[in-house]
């Protein structure tokens, strides 16, 4: 009789017969073989109770329809996901540059620092700039200025003390400041 449903195959047979072609189909649809494997697995889990419980006329069609619907849902989620795999749109992405407020504050702090350095005694200022800007050692500074290393050390320490006192909100000496002096 042509109207009789096809006798249901057991699930293991359905699985073995459709696994590879279903994954290939989903990989073409999704463009990702790992996602295709996940969707195929989910489709088998959803179809399993139906195939085992009720006779299904065409279990392959049910499986492929279920897998296709799951893949479409995945594609929709991917398009609205905030963590999209596509490149970021630089016009709408948050900037990593400092905000206007941060820039203004940094300029004010720089201005205060420049003013404090300008007010240092000439010897302290010269030693400080050679040490912090030119990155010279105490020995190199002493040779360059024609003074003793101990004088360089004292001038450097004095310059740092005067700057700490001149700049507002300074927490005081830090281990790093002590190591660099």
């Amino acid at each position: 009789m042509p109207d009789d449903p096809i006798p249901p195959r057991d699930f293991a047979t359905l699985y073995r017969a459709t696994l590879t072609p279903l994954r290939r189909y989903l990989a073409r649809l999704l463009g990702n073989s790992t996602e295709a494997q996940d969707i195929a697995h989910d489709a088998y889990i959803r179809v399993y109770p139906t195939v085992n419980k009720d006779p299904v006329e065409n279990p392959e069609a049910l499986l492929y329809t279920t897998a296709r619907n799951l893949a479409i849902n995945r594609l929709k989620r991917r398009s609205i996901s905030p963590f999209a795999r596509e490149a970021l749109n630089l016009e709408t992405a948050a900037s990593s540059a400092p905000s206007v407020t941060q820039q203004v504050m940094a300029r004010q702090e720089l201005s205060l620092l420049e003013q404090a350095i300008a007010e240092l005694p000439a010897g302290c200022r010269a030693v400080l700039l050679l040490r912090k800007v030119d990155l010279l050692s105490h020995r190199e500074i002493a040779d360059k200025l024609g003074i003793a290393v101990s004088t360089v050390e004292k001038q450097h320490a004095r310059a740092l003390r005067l700057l700490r006192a001149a700049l507002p909100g300074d927490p005081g000496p830090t281990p790093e400041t002590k190591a660099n002096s």
Side-chain angles (χ1 to χ4, degrees):
M1 275 193 190
D3 292 334
D4 289 341
I6 299 171
R9 294 188 284 173
D10 67 336
F11 188 77
T13 305
L14 173 67
Y15 181 82
R16 281 191 299 276
T18 58
L19 180 63
T20 302
L22 180 63
R23 283 183 181 171
R24 271 193 306 245
Y25 167 74
L26 291 170
R28 281 192 313 270
L29 191 63
L30 294 165
N32 183 320
S33 61
T34 304
E35 279 186 314
Q37 192 171 355
D38 291 344
I39 296 294
H41 180 262
D42 291 347
Y44 284 112
I45 289 173
R46 289 188 182 206
V47 168
Y48 177 77
T50 306
V51 170
N52 274 352
K53 182 178 164 189
D54 299 321
V56 176
E57 187 172 332
N58 191 346
E60 290 91 354
L62 176 64
L63 177 66
Y64 272 81
T65 302
T66 303
R68 183 176 158 275
N69 290 339
L70 289 170
I72 289 169
N73 288 342
R74 176 73 59 99
L75 290 169
K76 285 179 186 176
R77 269 183 298 191
R78 191 190 297 168
S79 70
I80 61 171
S81 171
F83 302 108
R85 290 183 174 89
E86 296 85 32
L88 292 176
N89 181 354
L90 297 178
E91 293 177 9
T92 59
S95 173
S96 62
S99 69
V100 173
T101 306
Q102 291 169 324
Q103 290 177 22
V104 169
M105 289 173 56
R107 284 188 193 118
Q108 289 173 345
E109 290 172 6
L110 179 60
S111 177
L112 287 173
L113 179 62
E114 287 173 340
Q115 182 181 354
I117 290 172
E119 293 174 359
L120 288 173
C124 290
R125 183 174 50 251
V127 168
L128 179 76
L129 293 175
L130 288 170
R131 178 76 176 126
K132 299 298 183 183
V133 176
D134 294 341
L135 302 174
L136 298 179
S137 69
H138 287 172
R139 166 59 55 203
E140 293 168 323
I141 295 169
D143 292 343
K144 185 169 184 142
L145 297 178
I147 58 177
V149 174
S150 63
T151 304
V152 171
E153 292 169 352
K154 289 175 188 170
Q155 293 285 354
H156 187 223
R158 181 174 179 215
L160 292 175
R161 256 193 329 275
L162 291 171
L163 284 178
R164 274 190 219 106
L167 296 175
D170 190 59
T174 63
E176 179 183 310
T177 312
K178 289 179 182 177
N180 287 336
S181 50

